[in-house]
């Protein structure tokens, strides 16, 4: 089966796709002719059918130019049934057909043979059963411009460096791309984990963490469509720029109906847009500039702080429900007696008020001893006969509506948070309570929230609101997960109590040690039943770039990352970062590379660079500008660059990075953003 053979088969399969498209349009016309209403009202069947056809047409439109990328031939060792067909981005034709006139979706169980199977005796799993097969052919097929350009036959997994090189040499643009044709075995194993398996993926920079995470969502949507709807997925992104960056791959993977939010958006959706959220680095720079300790931030983000929040909530319960039952101004039941009816349930404040009031009302109605106790207080009071009779009716009927009105529930999370922070010394013995209180309240007064306020605020919100939307989510994927605190994981577990978690991160890229985690074991213990997996190979960068980045990893005390053997020229070092130097570098590489990024250590360097390089027509990427075009020359900070990749990266001020943990991590992130070229300016660190 030569290249010419595959070209002829492509023509046949292309005609099949055209026929399939025509069939879908005909079925849509039939569906449109169905009555809009039936005897039972709105014709749901008609709308469902139209929606299903429209979805298939959209998928076909997206993938018609490259409908498949691989071919498999194998024989089932049990029944001798043969499979001869293609693997692609959608399914067409009958799988049971003996001829190679069919395409199977890459997410289907049978496609696992392409990613993991070896020629000869191998197996795949489907519907809870393992199938042993004799794999005779595993072929990669490149289709471009309506023609088969090349074929590549494998004997092992899709992991040859020589095979990967052409794909890795491709340029970066302003959007992440799918890797369905080149998914590696270790990536495939993560993608195909069962739906309800919690997982943590520790991956080195450039190992494909984000891409794998998004392919996993697509895989789960396809294989578990009867158990989970697209809108029950949530992707928690580090920022709005990152969300824009991944938007096109979600479309390409037919996973664009999933939800994607930053944590900032999650909190602002719950409390309103009155408050702005300070960036982590803005907070860090303020503390550093004023020589202030970060100790209080470490405390505010640790597991112990949850215990402090729990104590505050217990006190809030006591203040809210420890009240005597007053009827016509007479105390018929003391506060201790009333309070016990509001304990023992893991409910929100509103639910506790509802359930506790009903419980107390029923007790007054059915329990003679309690009723007698309450009535005796009325009988011995100074009320007139009419008011006594009214009071007796309230007690004997167990009027829970009357009881519930006694309890005023504070529903404003900001007011509760201010109350908590203002009185924090009542709930802990932390020696820097005053500093914590001072800067937190100062920010709130200015309608600002720091990132470390988000977790405690979400905790408080979860105690006053049922959050039905978040409780209804079934799968939560977190990217750049090393940047979340232990407290945040405790809170996310509470909020997304019915969800499975897929957590992707790299401990070496955790920039703010006082707000980040330093091991995955703590997170695993919080999430529970969690499988920890590793992606240790970098596919993004060249040998030369990874060697440079590995020097930084060694300084951090981390293991060096392995990488694909792909050479792309030496890393370049310049002793200055003048306008002329930067201009010459951009002019030199602008035709060779599509995306060029100048990365600054922090906002201070960004301001310096934006002024110095203002005549170079650079696009500044930040929270105010989240979009850029493929050919733009970008200026941004390391914090903004996290998770992104570019063809060429110029580090603006290498000497600005000190040899402490935080700066080394910042440097490592910057060094691992380029695919092909790394340049370090103002670099006097090497001879």
């Amino acid at each position: 089966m030569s290249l010419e053979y595959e070209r002829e088969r492509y023509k046949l399969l292309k005609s099949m796709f055209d026929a399939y498209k025509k069939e879908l349009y005909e079925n849509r016309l039939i569906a449109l002719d169905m009555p809009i209403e039936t005897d039972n009202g709105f014709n749901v069947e008609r709308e469902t059918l139209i929606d299903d056809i429209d979805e298939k047409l959209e998928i076909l439109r997206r993938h018609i130019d490259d409908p498949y990328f691989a071919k498999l031939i194998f024989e089932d060792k049990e029944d001798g049934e043969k499979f001869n067909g293609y693997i692609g981005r959608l399914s067409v034709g009958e799988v049971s057909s003996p001829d190679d006139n069919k395409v199977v979706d890459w997410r289907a169980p049978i496609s696992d043979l392409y990613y993991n199977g070896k020629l000869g005796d191998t197996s795949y799993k489907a519907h809870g059963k393992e199938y042993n097969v004799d794999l005779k052919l595993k072929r990669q097929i490149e289709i471009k411009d309506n023609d088969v350009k090349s074929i590549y036959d494998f004997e092992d997994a899709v992991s040859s460096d020589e095979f990967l090189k052409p794909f890795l040499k491709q340029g970066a643009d302003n959007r992440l791309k799918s890797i369905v044709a080149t998914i590696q075995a270790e990536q495939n194993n993560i993608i195909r984990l069962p739906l309800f398996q919690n997982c943590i993926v520790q991956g080195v920079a450039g190992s494909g963490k984000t891409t794998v995470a998004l392919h996993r969502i697509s895989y789960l949507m396809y294989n578990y469509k009867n158990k989970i709807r697209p809108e029950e997925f949530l992707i928690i992104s580090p920022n709005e720029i990152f969300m824009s960056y991944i938007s096109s791959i979600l479309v390409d993977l037919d996973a664009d109906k999933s939800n994607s939010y930053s944590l900032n958006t999650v909190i602002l959706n719950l409390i309103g847009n009155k408050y702005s959220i300070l960036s982590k680095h803005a907070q860090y720079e303020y503390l550093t500039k004023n020589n202030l300790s970060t100790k209080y931030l470490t405390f505010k983000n640790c597991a112990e702080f949850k215990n402090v929040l729990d104590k505050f909530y217990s006190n809030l319960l006591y203040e809210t429900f420890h009240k005597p039952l007053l009827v016509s101004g007479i105390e018929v039941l003391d506060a201790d007696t009333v309070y016990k009816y509001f304990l023992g349930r893991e409910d929100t404040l509103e639910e506790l008020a509802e359930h506790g009031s009903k419980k107390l009302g029923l007790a007054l109605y059915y329990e003679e001893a309690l009723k007698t106790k309450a009535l005796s207080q009325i009988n011995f009071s100074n009320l007139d006969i009419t008011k006594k009779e009214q009071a007796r009716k309230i007690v004997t009927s167990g009027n829970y509506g009357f009881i519930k009105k006694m309890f005023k529930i504070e529903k404003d999370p900001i007011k509760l948070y201010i109350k908590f922070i203002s009185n924090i010394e009542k709930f802990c013995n932390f020696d820097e309570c005053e500093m914590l209180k001072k800067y937190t309240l100062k920010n709130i007064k200015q309608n600002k929230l720091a990132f470390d306020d988000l977790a405690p605020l979400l905790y408080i919100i979860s105690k006053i609101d049922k959050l039905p939307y978040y409780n209804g989510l079934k799968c939560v994927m977190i990217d750049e997960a090393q940047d979340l605190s232990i407290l945040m994981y405790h809170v996310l577990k509470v909020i997304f109590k019915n969800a499975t978690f897929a957590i992707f991160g790299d401990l070496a890229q955790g920039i703010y040690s006082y707000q980040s985690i330093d091991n995955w074991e703590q997170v695993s213990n919080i999430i529970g039943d969690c499988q920890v997996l590793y992606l240790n190979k970098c596919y993004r960068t060249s040998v030369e770039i990874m060697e440079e980045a590995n020097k930084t990893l060694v300084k951090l005390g981390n293991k060096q990352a392995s990488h694909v053997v792909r050479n792309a020229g030496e890393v370049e070092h310049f002793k200055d970062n003048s306008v002329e130097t930067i201009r010459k570098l951009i002019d030199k590489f602008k035709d060779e590379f599509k995306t060029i990024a100048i990365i600054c250590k922090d906002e201070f360097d960004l301001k310096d660079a934006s002024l110095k390089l203002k005549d170079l027509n650079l696009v500044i990427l930040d929270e105010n500008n989240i979009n850029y075009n493929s050919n733009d020359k970008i200026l941004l900070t390391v914090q903004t660059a996290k998770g992104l990749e570019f063809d060429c990266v110029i580090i603006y001020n290498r000497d600005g990075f000190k040899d402490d943990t935080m700066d080394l991590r910042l440097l490592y992130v910057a060094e691992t953003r380029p695919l092909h070229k790394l340049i370090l300016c103002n670099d006097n660190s090497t001879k």
Side-chain angles (χ1 to χ4, degrees), residues 402-440:
F402 175 86
I403 297 170
K404 187 180 176 183
K405 287 179 182 178
M406 291 173 46
F407 308 106
K408 185 178 182 300
I409 307 299
E410 179 56 73
K411 296 183 179 180
D412 186 333
I414 295 292
K415 286 183 179 179
L416 286 172
Y417 188 50
I418 291 172
K419 182 177 182 178
F420 165 59
I421 295 296
S422 300
N423 298 280
I424 192 167
E425 65 276 354
K426 293 181 181 179
F427 312 110
C428 67
N429 296 316
F430 181 56
D431 57 4
E432 293 196 27
C433 278
E434 283 305 313
M435 187 173 181
L436 186 155
K437 186 188 301 187
K438 176 183 176 181
Y439 289 104
T440 303

Side-chain angles (χ1 to χ4, degrees), residues 142 165 179 190 273 277 302 311 317 323 394 427 577:
E142 181 192 8
K165 279 182 184 179
I179 56 166
I190 294 167
N273 292 318
I277 297 176
C302 71
K311 288 178 183 177
L317 289 181
K323 294 179 179 178
I394 290 172
F427 312 110
N577 58 3

Side-chain angles (χ1 to χ4, degrees), residues 223-455:
N223 286 281
Y224 295 91
K225 58 186 70 173
N226 294 327
K227 293 185 177 181
I228 184 168
R229 303 190 308 274
E231 57 270 23
E232 291 174 327
F233 288 88
L234 173 64
I235 303 164
I236 295 181
S237 301
N239 53 51
E240 305 299 320
I241 295 170
F242 187 84
M243 286 168 54
S244 174
Y245 182 62
I246 67 173
S247 59
S248 64
I249 188 176
L250 288 172
V251 173
D252 193 39
L253 293 170
D254 309 318
D256 49 313
K257 290 183 180 179
S258 60
N259 299 290
S260 180
Y261 298 118
S262 66
L263 278 174
N264 292 14
T265 303
V266 170
I267 193 77
L268 292 178
N269 283 344
L270 293 169
I271 67 171
N273 292 318
K274 178 182 176 182
Y275 296 87
S276 61
I277 297 176
L278 292 168
S279 72
K280 288 184 176 184
H281 207 75
Q283 182 185 43
Y284 172 78
E285 287 183 336
Y286 176 82
L287 294 170
T288 304
K289 181 180 177 182
N290 292 281
N291 199 28
L292 298 172
S293 169
T294 59
K295 189 176 178 182
Y296 83 93
L297 290 173
T298 302
F299 178 63
K300 207 172 171 184
N301 286 278
C302 71
E304 186 184 343
F305 202 69
K306 181 181 178 296
N307 298 332
V308 180
L309 283 162
D310 288 337
K311 288 178 183 177
F312 166 71
Y313 182 63
S314 296
N315 186 72
L316 182 63
L317 289 181
Y318 187 84
E319 288 181 352
T320 304
F321 299 116
H322 189 266
K323 294 179 179 178
L325 178 59
L326 301 175
V327 181
S328 298
I330 302 299
E331 182 180 313
V332 298
L333 292 176
D334 61 86
D336 286 344
T337 301
V338 171
Y339 186 53
K340 68 180 183 181
Y341 289 93
F342 292 85
L343 300 177
R345 291 181 66 101
E346 290 292 327
D347 289 335
T348 64
L349 284 173
E350 187 67 37
E351 289 172 320
L352 283 172
E354 181 80 13
H355 294 140
S357 298
K358 284 183 178 179
K359 192 176 177 182
L360 179 54
L362 288 170
L364 283 169
Y365 186 80
Y366 286 109
E367 296 178 18
E368 288 301 322
L370 189 68
K371 187 186 300 183
T372 301
K373 180 181 178 180
L375 289 174
S376 67
Q377 299 300 316
I378 296 171
N379 293 335
F380 289 108
S381 71
N382 294 324
L383 294 173
D384 60 40
I385 294 173
T386 302
K387 287 187 177 180
K388 279 186 178 181
E389 189 57 34
Q390 290 172 346
R392 289 190 191 102
K393 282 184 179 180
I394 290 172
V395 170
T396 55
S397 66
N399 189 332
Y400 102 90
F402 175 86
I403 297 170
K404 187 180 176 183
K405 287 179 182 178
M406 291 173 46
F407 308 106
K408 185 178 182 300
I409 307 299
E410 179 56 73
K411 296 183 179 180
D412 186 333
I414 295 292
K415 286 183 179 179
L416 286 172
Y417 188 50
I418 291 172
K419 182 177 182 178
F420 165 59
I421 295 296
S422 300
N423 298 280
I424 192 167
E425 65 276 354
K426 293 181 181 179
F427 312 110
C428 67
N429 296 316
F430 181 56
D431 57 4
E432 293 196 27
C433 278
E434 283 305 313
M435 187 173 181
L436 186 155
K437 186 188 301 187
K438 176 183 176 181
Y439 289 104
T440 303
L441 295 178
K442 179 183 176 182
N443 284 335
I444 294 174
K445 192 174 182 179
Q446 297 172 352
N447 292 333
K448 296 176 182 177
L449 296 171
F451 191 82
D452 48 272
D453 293 316
L454 302 192

Side-chain angles (χ1 to χ4, degrees), residues 612-624:
K612 186 189 290 186
L613 309 176
K614 62 183 179 180
D615 295 331
L616 299 186
N617 296 319
L618 303 175
V619 173
I620 299 175
L621 204 59
D622 57 22
E623 58 189 17
N624 299 314

Side-chain angles (χ1 to χ4, degrees), residues 10 17 112 118 139 205 261 270 276 293 418 556 568 586 669:
Y10 173 70
F17 279 106
D112 187 43
K118 300 178 181 180
R139 169 173 290 172
Y261 298 118
L270 293 169
S276 61
S293 169
I418 291 172
L556 282 165
I586 291 175
V669 172

